[in-house]
Amino acid sequence: MTFVEELREHAELAGAPLPQLSDGRDRYGPVAAILFAQRSFASVRRRSNGTTLVTVWDHRGELAAWGQAPAVDDVVNTLRAWQDGVPLPELCSAVARYLQAGDPAAAIETLWSVLTDDGEPHLHAIVAAASADPTLRALRPWVSHGTLHLLHATDAVHGVRRGLAFHPTDEDAFKVHVYDGPIGPVQDVASAAATAAATAATW
């Protein structure tokens, strides 16, 4: 039985099926389960250490809530509530108290952990280099069309004023593109991260 099938079975036994639940991927990589609802989606990742990370995303694609679900039934209850349109504050305070929201720094750390533990293989090298640099680690990672972008923590995804992207030429070479500027030359992973950090330090 797949994890999606297990979740569906639990939901049906509780009298609230999850017909839209499937496996697949979100922009950060593969997921064990994903549920699209009227306010974007919730995704579930099962970690090698046995934990289950639930992430809830708003209509802009921003991470709205996140947390380690204690058990399968907690995942099901979260997904059912999200499917039924329970508002985020109530979702976190009454239905899924393991969920955290409203802490931008913690949200950024969660995104880095997703990329590190569950991200696409072709991004592993640049994610490792960028996440090891304190200046870059403070930025919000965002993946679009297979490219790692780093956004200033206070800028919304769809209103970015300060950001940059690592355009891959292969898994170990990148061109750094600072938004509203030219695309830089091909660099190895370490040099690309250093270039990005020097720019981000001026923001």
Side-chain angles (χ1 to χ4, degrees), residues 16 37-39 79-86:
Q38 64 271 26
R39 295 167 296 167
L79 297 177
R80 287 170 53 198
W82 189 243
Q83 174 181 264
D84 293 343
V86 173

Side-chain angles (χ1 to χ4, degrees), residues 47-170:
R47 296 288 174 72
S48 58
N49 62 4
T51 61
T52 302
L53 175 67
V54 177
T55 48
V56 179
W57 309 81
D58 68 15
H59 66 282
R60 303 165 299 173
E62 301 270 13
L63 181 60
W66 59 93
Q68 303 286 348
V72 169
D73 283 338
D74 295 290
V75 177
V76 170
N77 290 339
T78 303
L79 297 177
R80 287 170 53 198
W82 189 243
Q83 174 181 264
D84 293 343
V86 173
L88 186 65
E90 183 181 344
L91 181 72
C92 296
S93 65
V95 178
R97 294 181 179 175
Y98 66 90
L99 287 178
Q100 178 181 355
D103 184 338
I108 287 172
E109 278 300 306
T110 297
L111 294 176
W112 280 116
S113 77
V114 167
L115 283 172
T116 299
D117 296 341
D118 309 290
E120 303 288 4
H122 74 277
L123 292 177
H124 284 174
I126 193 62
V127 165
S131 64
D133 182 281
T135 299
L136 299 182
R137 184 86 181 198
L139 302 178
R140 187 162 77 259
W142 171 260
V143 178
S144 179
H145 298 92
T147 297
L148 175 64
H149 297 246
L150 300 181
L151 315 179
H152 193 278
T154 62
D155 288 355
V157 169
H158 295 296
V160 176
R161 294 174 296 134
R162 294 155 292 182
L164 56 86
F166 296 97
H167 293 288
T169 57
D170 61 43

